[in-house]
Amino acid sequence: MALQQKRTYTIEDIYALPEGQRAELIDGQMYQMAPPNRMHQKLINRLSQKITNYIDSKRGECEVYPAPFAVFLNEDDRNYIEPDISVICDKTKLDEYGCNGAPDWVIEITSPSNPQNDYGIKLFKYRTAGVREYWIVNPQKKTVTVFDFEFEKKSNQYSFDDDIPVCIYDDLIINIENMLV
């Protein structure tokens, strides 16, 4: 008896989704995305604003893109991800469709229905693609897990009321609790 084959999806399938429906594509497998809740959106907004203000104050070259923003991690048609926040410092990776290659810093905010994607599949994909820093913000547990893929020195888990050092910027510290007041 033959085993049933899983369908392999491509970026064309993502672009063919009905208006308003969002999904990500990881190694040809499609993952539907539920609409974010209010806290999720607030965290994206506040973190994006804090990072953008920091970059602007330093006259930095990096750019901050909150979701929905397409990231094509690999040079294939089987991977399409929309991180909650992408920080890209190499502008040659940017085109009218999104980012081609790994952002420097990715922040994912977990949703109650599917946190395992952020802690498992995406963690592996981001690390192997060359992301320098990856944050998993968990509003349910009020924790931030930081992965310093570049130097492995600052990887740690923090609570929302901790001062969290940013790995790719020596002088940027973020306290999420203070941003939510």
Side-chain angles (χ1 to χ4, degrees):
M1 177 165 74
L3 293 174
Q4 184 177 0
Q5 300 254 335
K6 282 186 180 179
R7 177 173 175 197
T8 299
Y9 293 92
T10 67
I11 291 171
E12 281 185 29
D13 296 305
I14 292 289
Y15 288 139
L17 290 172
E19 184 71 30
Q21 186 176 347
R22 291 178 52 214
E24 293 181 310
L25 189 62
I26 302 173
D27 294 329
Q29 295 302 302
M30 192 176 301
Y31 298 88
Q32 300 295 324
M33 298 170 67
N37 64 29
R38 187 180 69 81
M39 177 54 73
H40 191 108
Q41 288 301 99
K42 186 174 186 176
L43 284 164
I44 290 173
N45 182 37
R46 298 287 169 84
L47 284 164
S48 295
Q49 185 177 35
K50 174 84 173 177
I51 298 163
T52 299
N53 288 345
Y54 169 83
I55 292 169
D56 289 348
S57 75
K58 299 290 185 174
R59 297 191 191 323
E61 293 294 317
C62 301
E63 295 187 12
V64 180
Y65 292 94
F69 180 74
V71 173
F72 306 94
L73 280 179
N74 304 77
E75 292 183 25
D76 62 29
D77 65 347
R78 299 180 312 117
N79 288 280
Y80 170 98
I81 300 176
E82 291 184 5
D84 288 313
I85 300 172
S86 301
V87 179
I88 297 120
C89 301
D90 179 356
K91 291 183 183 178
T92 65
K93 293 181 179 181
L94 297 170
D95 66 18
E96 64 184 284
Y97 300 106
C99 177
N100 296 289
D104 293 270
W105 181 13
V106 169
I107 300 174
E108 293 282 8
I109 298 163
T110 63
S111 61
S113 63
N114 198 10
Q116 64 272 15
N117 272 2
D118 298 321
Y119 289 101
I121 297 167
K122 288 184 181 180
L123 171 64
F124 175 77
K125 289 303 288 184
Y126 291 144
R127 181 181 193 120
T128 58
V131 169
R132 294 167 54 202
E133 180 169 0
Y134 177 42
W135 284 25
I136 303 172
V137 178
N138 188 323
Q140 294 75 38
K141 294 181 179 179
K142 295 193 172 195
T143 60
V144 179
T145 306
V146 175
F147 295 94
D148 174 7
F149 295 143
E150 189 172 30
F151 300 110
E152 302 290 334
K153 293 179 182 176
K154 297 181 184 176
S155 297
N156 207 344
Q157 184 160 341
Y158 301 90
S159 68
F160 274 23
D161 60 352
D162 287 332
D163 290 337
I164 305 168
V166 175
C167 304
I168 67 168
Y169 297 114
D170 291 334
D171 59 346
L172 176 58
I173 296 190
I174 295 176
N175 183 302
I176 291 180
E177 194 67 41
N178 289 344
M179 292 185 337
L180 297 177
V181 177

